[in-house]
Amino acid sequence: MNRILNIVPVPVPPEALDAFAAQIPTSVVHPGFENVFVCARAGGTTLDSAYETTLADAFVLEAGCRAEEQGYAAVCVNSMSDSALAALRSRLTIPVVAPSQASMLLAGLLGKKFSVVTMWPQWHELYHKAAREHGLTAKLASVRDIGVPPNTAELLAGKEDFVFEALERQARAAIDEDGADVIILGSTTMHQSHAYLEKVLEVPVLNPGVVAYKMCELLVQTGLSHSKRAYPSPSLIQDELLSGAIAALSN
């Protein structure tokens, strides 16, 4: 059994972790693979700033740095923040994938321009940063939001009627006004809207958590992983130092 470690970069209650896990239904999981969802044990809450994303980097690195020793076949960061992606690739030799990079690269395969439709303006920089780092700024048609703060405990539960229609309006504006021919959901917390948007929009709609997970499967099945020339391993591994420092911050 190939176990994939999915890391949610903010601490959430068990029922919320179940809601995150529900974004990857059993129907899309290839036989021989198993998903394990964990969350950062402390750190940010909504990743609304550079301060919070830096905290998330540290706690995601802690959560995933021993994944290879623990027998996981790959690590999937379950957030469009791509928290600790480069650091985990440096620490590990097993595949490490994150949604912003994976979804943007797939969007470039499926169309000429893509837009990200998200919850609130505080997340815009996450997508612009990812596009800059991966050389995709020219393909990013726009980032649009509906002005609704995210809820990492309830996700979109109870807000479907309002949120789904608002997301559809912004997605249509991205297509008609900005020239997008692919739409990417701006957060794994938005996965409950994917089926609705896929049905009402005429362009591909990417569910980022599923895209990143399936990329993990592909890499495991083909025996590929990130280049250690691009992400060299540290000469000195200090996982205990990281855990100790984070434990001290948590107390």
Side-chain angles (χ1 to χ4, degrees):
M1 183 65 67
N2 294 301
R3 293 189 304 149
I4 308 297
L5 179 63
N6 296 266
I7 305 173
V8 177
V10 297
V12 297
E15 59 273 19
L17 198 59
D18 291 341
F20 275 98
Q23 73 190 275
I24 305 176
T26 55
S27 59
V28 307
V29 178
H30 194 276
F33 284 84
E34 176 187 359
N35 277 297
V36 177
F37 270 77
V38 302
C39 65
R41 62 186 178 89
T45 55
T46 57
L47 306 185
D48 61 357
S49 60
Y51 176 81
E52 285 223 340
T53 56
T54 300
L55 288 175
D57 285 341
F59 283 98
V60 170
L61 177 58
E62 183 208 19
C65 64
R66 292 187 173 90
E68 198 163 354
E69 301 163 24
Q70 295 165 347
Y72 288 99
V75 173
C76 189
V77 179
N78 194 256
S79 169
M80 288 287 279
S81 62
D82 286 6
S83 300
L85 175 61
L88 284 172
R89 285 180 172 175
S90 173
R91 173 64 178 85
L92 305 172
T93 63
I94 58 175
V96 182
V97 180
S100 267
Q101 183 189 44
S103 296
M104 289 183 182
L105 290 172
L106 179 58
L109 178 69
L110 299 177
K112 296 179 179 179
K113 292 272 190 177
F114 61 86
S115 286
V116 179
V117 177
T118 192
M119 296 296 289
W120 63 341
Q122 284 87 333
W123 282 347
H124 283 217
E125 177 55 20
L126 295 177
Y127 321 120
H128 289 294
K129 178 176 181 288
R132 289 194 304 269
E133 289 180 349
H134 305 305
L136 296 169
T137 300
K139 290 183 173 291
L140 178 58
S142 61
V143 176
R144 288 178 170 266
D145 69 82
I146 61 172
V148 176
N151 186 321
T152 55
E154 298 178 357
L155 305 189
L156 298 183
K159 300 187 288 289
E160 293 88 348
D161 290 345
F162 164 72
V163 167
F164 287 10
E165 292 181 1
L167 290 171
E168 180 186 356
R169 286 194 297 273
Q170 291 302 320
R172 290 198 176 281
I175 296 165
D176 296 338
E177 300 173 24
D178 306 332
D181 42 37
V182 179
I183 298 296
I184 301 174
L185 297 183
S187 173
T188 57
T189 63
M190 298 165 59
H191 71 87
Q192 293 144 318
S193 68
H194 179 259
Y196 172 83
L197 293 172
E198 187 179 44
K199 186 182 302 182
V200 299
L201 298 175
E202 65 276 13
V203 302
V205 180
L206 301 187
N207 193 357
V210 174
V211 170
Y213 167 70
K214 294 300 288 186
M215 182 59 70
C216 282
E217 282 190 352
L218 173 65
L219 293 174
V220 171
Q221 289 176 317
T222 56
L224 293 170
S225 191
H226 49 274
S227 169
K228 296 307 276 185
R229 288 288 297 270
Y231 302 95
S233 298
S235 57
L236 178 63
I237 293 174
Q238 302 185 79
D239 294 342
E240 295 80 8
L241 176 63
L242 176 67
S243 297
I246 290 178
L249 287 172
S250 302
N251 290 331

